[in-house]
Amino acid sequence: MTKLENPVLMATIGGAQGLRGEVRAKAYTADPAALGDYGHLHSMDGRNFEVLEIREMKNMVVVRFRGINDRNAAEALNGLELYIERDNLPDEELEDDEFYYADLEGLEARDDKGVSYGTVTGVFDFGAGDLLELKGPGKRPVLIPFSEASVLEIDLEAGTLLIDPLAAGLVDDPEEAPKFTPDAPKKKK
């Protein structure tokens, strides 16, 4: 049983494919067929999965894991999320302006005046573009667009994001920015 320190979601298993224990999976990698290149995949309940074969099929991959040899065993994996340790991702292949979404979690979102809007607690894609979830102490989480207009700079070493609160939809008027709290009602004009 392996407990991951900094897990990164790599794939979600769908239904069984055929009779030999293969499963369909949604891979969250740039190249879906490279899912097996990251080493063993892990589930949050501690199980390890070694990819034996992988092939692409429409919008997913079909994977055969070591020890999953029949349809019943494959069906039991339906919905299982598979992770790797963050340290297993290849940093040397990234360009200067590239990063992994997992590295954004924990960064503090600040505006150009130094006002904090919370910490990034998640990155989501509901189909219309990526969103960052910000959560501050004693505040409800808010979602902001992860775009060049709202996120101006990412400084992984300093642990901060420079945001434009107006473009991010956090304030209606730039003069309100320093007084912003997600739980306070906004003034009507």
Side-chain angles (χ1 to χ4, degrees):
M1 304 260 288
T2 303
K3 174 78 170 134
L4 300 176
E5 294 293 322
N6 192 4
V8 176
L9 179 62
M10 298 299 285
T12 302
I13 296 177
Q17 176 75 24
L19 301 174
R20 298 183 323 145
E22 293 179 314
V23 294
R24 293 183 303 272
K26 168 84 171 134
Y28 304 112
T29 56
D31 176 12
L35 185 62
D37 296 348
Y38 297 96
H40 288 251
L41 301 169
H42 308 275
S43 64
M44 286 310 228
D45 62 9
R47 293 181 285 171
N48 294 320
F49 295 87
E50 180 184 352
V51 175
L52 295 178
E53 294 177 24
I54 190 166
R55 68 181 189 275
E56 290 189 64
M57 183 177 127
K58 294 186 183 178
N59 297 332
M60 63 188 72
V61 290
V62 176
V63 184
R64 190 165 69 87
F65 295 110
R66 180 176 305 284
I68 307 298
N69 299 318
D70 61 36
R71 186 170 181 88
N72 290 336
E75 286 175 348
L77 301 178
N78 192 358
L80 189 67
E81 293 181 330
L82 299 176
Y83 299 83
I84 63 168
E85 187 64 54
R86 165 59 183 95
D87 293 340
N88 291 352
L89 292 173
D91 288 329
E92 64 277 355
E93 294 178 14
L94 294 176
E95 300 291 327
D96 289 338
D97 61 344
E98 287 184 316
F99 49 85
Y100 294 109
Y101 281 175
D103 294 339
L104 296 177
E105 292 185 21
L107 297 183
E108 185 178 11
R110 297 182 167 272
D111 66 11
D112 60 349
K113 296 177 181 134
V115 175
S116 176
Y117 289 86
T119 303
V120 177
T121 55
V123 182
F124 303 102
D125 181 1
F126 299 114
D130 295 327
L131 298 170
L132 298 178
E133 179 183 60
L134 303 180
K135 173 93 172 79
K139 300 177 181 174
R140 290 181 287 177
V142 294
L143 296 174
I144 66 168
F146 185 40
S147 65
E148 289 181 7
S150 57
V151 179
L152 306 174
E153 185 179 306
I154 299 168
D155 189 345
L156 295 175
E157 290 179 15
T160 60
L161 293 176
L162 177 63
I163 64 169
D164 179 344
L166 186 62
L170 296 171
V171 296
D172 293 330
D173 180 359
E175 299 303 316
E176 293 180 21
K179 298 177 270 201
F180 173 79
T181 59
D183 293 332
K186 295 185 179 179
K187 297 177 188 175
K188 297 207 181 216
K189 295 183 178 180

